[in-house]
Amino acid sequence: MILVFGGTTEGRRAAEVLEEAGSLYYYSTKTGEQELTLHHGVRIDGALDAEAMKAFCQQHEIRLIVDAAHPFATMLHQTIADVASDMQIPVVRYERIYPPRDPDITWIDDYNDIIAADLHGQTLLATTGVQSISKLKWLEAKGVKVIYRILNRESSIRLAHQQGATDDQLCFYHTGDSPQADAILLKESGLSGGFVEKVEEAKANGMRIIALKRPESTQKDCIVTPHSQRENATLAKREPSLLCTVNGPYGLRRAVEKLLPEFYPLHSGLTTGTCATAAAVAATIRLTKGKTPAEVPVLLPNGETITVPVGYADGYAYCIKEAGDDPDVTNGIEIRAKVSAANDSDCNATLSKRELFRTVRVSLLSSAALEIEGGEGVGRFTLPGFDYPPGEAAINKGPRQMIEQNLQSILSPLLCQAECGVANPSHPSPLKITISVPDGEEIAKRTFNPRLGIEGGISIIGVSGIVKPFSEEAFIDSIRKCVQVALASGTDRIVINSGGKSERFVKALYPTLPQQAFVEYGNYIGETLRIIADLSPLTSHHSPLHVTLGVMLGKAVKLAAGNLDTHSRKTTMDKAFIQQMLQEAGISIDISDMTLARELWKRIPKDKQTEFACTVIRHCEEHCKPLLPNGQLTILLIDDDGTIHSL
């Protein structure tokens, strides 16, 4: 059983991750005021001291704790650490993502570090929470006018008054109330705490910014010995019992799968893109630092960092592809990365540190990109329509960007260590990363690559970096749960979309909708509409529910042909039907050599794209509207650059 300490954005995200399992867990908050809909989680509200926490863990057989509490909740973190240490329960700390510390901000370790003399006669806007009011009252005696921004709820206002704040000293979040102030006091609350936005607003208003650093204890890990190894272990001293720290949903799921394998019926895996990135990171660390860590950090496209196991051999590093429970012929393959200077593929053993610094410095100062190449077992594009032209290695845009972003974080600091001037910035010698997959050519024969015109090996792919496995039944069940949550939120519109990319585009059209209103259908468009139709009469809505379906062209042409499940194993692109739709739109082009539907956006004349989009949408409506008899359906067709077409 799992116990989550939440009440934060991270707590909410942790609950979303655990809900995917369909297993029972407990979610604890101090005040019970966080709005949260749980289907498999049981809420427990009220503060728990050490004894109460121990009793709860014993009574409910807690085997894993997820600490997603606020980073400044130091007493709670310590209580969790003490209880976990005493009871030998592993802890996963769900930490926030923090931007680099801005040198233009005054950073302090404690409220007493504020220099009152610098603020004498000025107004300070304190956004550090209602609990900090008593810690800042001393500034008022030093001639500083302090205004406290707090949550607009009765319990917060009551506590503010108890600490001596008057009504004219209070302002509230989310009310448009922005008092004039000379300086602002912030907590280093990370990206999810809106720290960046608060800083930008303060700078725009010409305010001096003072920031309280997050507690040091939130930046450290202390590994708990696994249960199988604990019997002969003794703890020399009590420390925070954090088995691992994660800073995003994928990392949390993988940690839970590792520590409590039975919690999820199916386990996640890594994309080939993540494995290639991990191998490239490992090879670069060995080349630049002479180290060979068993795991390396990989920054994913969503901004979180996970650790990935790697290995090393003569001249390259490698990562073993881990598919989890997703059926994948690439499971267990070895993905290799070799890093060298672009003009010397065999320099790994001989490139001196001085030469390496110069190579990196020239490359970065001249904005020369890292060269990413495909070696043995990595396929080549032979047809147009992909991210890169025919002849290029089949390493998609997402993985290339992951590799570049991760390696720049390693290479950029070398600029500060470079010993001499730049040789010739107009002729840089960037580093080359060669990705290879032994047996990749043979494995590719069991994939769709030959049909797509990718020859000679597998493709390196992955948008999110993580593979989340779902059986058809489990995925549809998860859709049903998401629709239930959306309807429970009270929204008058549900926006269904295929995944992260399409959701980003349609979200911009509905900025005021709650996050719960957006539901991912994957490939199950028809089933999702049926679920909405089935559940919506059970709500209190008196008017028809509005449903927006966001779809990209690859799925749209399948849907237009009547395929309500667009998975590639069940249906393929029907060129004859696409040709029919082109004719209906008055467009005459040859698509006989077309590989992917999205190529149509480049082939159709600009002045005809809207008419074609409307034709596709009308055909989609023919099949979708009957599934939603009591709702109003809007279909949005999204092209690759985010342009949205509608009727």
Side-chain angles (χ1 to χ4, degrees), residues 7-259:
T8 58
T9 300
E10 288 68 36
R12 185 188 304 277
R13 291 173 181 168
E16 291 171 355
V17 172
L18 299 183
E19 285 285 330
E20 295 171 356
S23 302
L24 177 67
Y25 66 95
Y26 295 93
Y27 187 90
S28 171
T29 66
K30 180 179 180 180
T31 64
E33 294 177 303
Q34 184 182 30
E35 294 184 5
L36 191 69
T37 301
L38 305 178
H39 294 285
H40 301 286
V42 176
R43 290 191 66 148
I44 54 170
D45 297 321
L48 296 177
D49 60 18
E51 291 307 312
M53 195 181 298
K54 283 183 182 179
F56 185 89
C57 290
Q58 290 172 341
Q59 180 181 354
H60 297 280
E61 298 181 346
I62 299 300
R63 296 174 55 199
L64 177 65
I65 294 175
V66 177
D67 181 0
H70 195 281
F72 283 80
T74 52
M75 290 184 62
L76 176 57
H77 295 313
Q78 189 59 54
T79 300
I80 293 171
D82 291 343
V83 170
S85 179
D86 288 346
M87 301 186 69
Q88 296 293 276
I89 300 174
V91 177
V92 179
R93 177 67 178 276
Y94 197 145
E95 185 58 279
R96 297 185 176 186
I97 298 174
Y98 297 93
R101 286 178 177 164
D102 186 341
D104 293 332
I105 295 175
T106 300
W107 295 93
I108 60 174
D109 295 306
D110 186 85
Y111 294 109
N112 292 325
D113 293 339
I114 300 173
I115 301 176
D118 292 347
L119 297 171
H120 183 76
Q122 297 185 359
T123 299
L124 174 68
L125 175 61
T127 67
T128 45
V130 68
Q131 297 284 0
S132 68
I133 292 176
S134 61
K135 301 174 183 178
L136 295 171
K137 295 297 289 183
W138 67 275
L139 285 172
E140 298 176 27
K142 300 290 185 179
V144 181
K145 180 181 179 181
V146 185
I147 298 176
Y148 305 98
R149 177 175 281 168
I150 63 174
L151 293 173
N152 189 11
R153 59 191 186 195
E154 185 179 339
S155 60
S156 296
I157 296 172
R158 183 172 60 253
L159 184 56
H161 288 159
Q162 290 173 354
Q163 295 185 74
T166 58
D167 286 335
D168 62 350
Q169 287 184 287
L170 301 181
C171 66
F172 305 101
Y173 287 102
H174 312 305
T175 61
D177 187 7
S178 299
Q180 295 294 319
D182 303 289
I184 187 170
L185 176 63
L186 306 170
K187 281 182 176 179
E188 188 182 12
S189 55
L191 297 184
S192 65
F195 183 78
V196 172
E197 291 79 6
K198 293 173 184 175
V199 167
E200 289 176 350
E201 181 184 2
K203 286 184 175 181
N205 292 327
M207 301 167 69
R208 178 187 171 192
I209 304 171
I210 305 170
L212 182 68
K213 298 177 185 177
R214 64 189 186 273
E216 286 294 322
S217 60
T218 69
Q219 304 173 46
K220 298 178 180 178
D221 289 351
C222 177
I223 297 177
V224 171
T225 307
H227 183 72
S228 60
Q229 301 174 20
R230 278 191 201 125
E231 295 179 358
N232 298 321
T234 56
L235 296 176
K237 59 181 179 179
R238 178 169 296 173
E239 296 178 330
S241 53
L242 299 180
L243 181 62
C244 63
T245 297
V246 301
N247 62 0
Y250 296 139
L252 175 60
R253 173 161 180 154
R254 288 177 61 79
V256 173
E257 290 171 349
K258 180 179 180 180
L259 299 169

Side-chain angles (χ1 to χ4, degrees), residues 403-430:
I403 293 172
E404 290 174 356
Q405 187 174 15
N406 277 270
L407 295 198
Q408 291 289 11
S409 66
I410 301 172
L411 299 175
S412 294
L414 295 179
L415 281 171
C416 303
Q417 304 175 38
E419 298 178 1
C420 54
V422 177
N424 187 352
S426 63
H427 295 87
S429 178

Side-chain angles (χ1 to χ4, degrees), residues 172-441:
F172 305 101
Y173 287 102
H174 312 305
T175 61
D177 187 7
S178 299
Q180 295 294 319
D182 303 289
I184 187 170
L185 176 63
L186 306 170
K187 281 182 176 179
E188 188 182 12
S189 55
L191 297 184
S192 65
F195 183 78
V196 172
E197 291 79 6
K198 293 173 184 175
V199 167
E200 289 176 350
E201 181 184 2
K203 286 184 175 181
N205 292 327
M207 301 167 69
R208 178 187 171 192
I209 304 171
I210 305 170
L212 182 68
K213 298 177 185 177
R214 64 189 186 273
E216 286 294 322
S217 60
T218 69
Q219 304 173 46
K220 298 178 180 178
D221 289 351
C222 177
I223 297 177
V224 171
T225 307
H227 183 72
S228 60
Q229 301 174 20
R230 278 191 201 125
E231 295 179 358
N232 298 321
T234 56
L235 296 176
K237 59 181 179 179
R238 178 169 296 173
E239 296 178 330
S241 53
L242 299 180
L243 181 62
C244 63
T245 297
V246 301
N247 62 0
Y250 296 139
L252 175 60
R253 173 161 180 154
R254 288 177 61 79
V256 173
E257 290 171 349
K258 180 179 180 180
L259 299 169
L260 205 62
E262 66 273 23
F263 187 78
Y264 286 97
L266 297 173
H267 289 187
S268 64
L270 303 175
T271 63
T272 50
T274 295
C275 294
T277 301
V281 168
T284 304
I285 289 175
R286 179 166 71 170
L287 178 63
T288 59
K289 302 179 180 180
K291 298 180 180 178
T292 55
E295 292 184 326
V296 295
V298 173
L299 178 66
L300 298 179
N302 71 346
E304 72 172 288
T305 300
I306 63 171
T307 57
V308 179
V310 292
Y312 305 86
D314 186 18
Y316 64 88
Y318 63 87
C319 178
I320 303 299
K321 171 71 162 67
E322 174 193 340
D325 287 318
D326 191 59
D328 189 342
V329 298
T330 64
N331 184 48
I333 65 173
E334 182 178 288
I335 299 179
R336 299 175 178 177
K338 181 178 182 179
V339 179
S340 61
N343 59 0
D344 184 359
S345 60
D346 296 319
C347 74
N348 279 4
T350 61
L351 191 65
S352 71
K353 204 166 190 178
R354 178 174 178 141
E355 290 168 336
L356 174 63
F357 288 162
R358 186 182 293 114
T359 292
V360 172
R361 190 178 184 211
V362 170
S363 174
L364 295 178
L365 288 179
S366 62
S367 299
L370 299 165
E371 290 187 5
I372 300 174
E373 184 56 86
E376 174 194 2
V378 174
R380 296 269 166 183
F381 299 124
T382 64
L383 297 175
F386 293 96
D387 291 336
Y388 299 94
E392 284 288 322
I395 304 174
N396 286 1
K397 185 176 181 180
R400 287 177 187 261
Q401 291 176 336
M402 279 183 65
I403 293 172
E404 290 174 356
Q405 187 174 15
N406 277 270
L407 295 198
Q408 291 289 11
S409 66
I410 301 172
L411 299 175
S412 294
L414 295 179
L415 281 171
C416 303
Q417 304 175 38
E419 298 178 1
C420 54
V422 177
N424 187 352
S426 63
H427 295 87
S429 178
L431 294 184
K432 180 170 73 173
I433 293 84
T434 303
I435 306 298
S436 59
V437 182
D439 302 322
E441 185 170 3

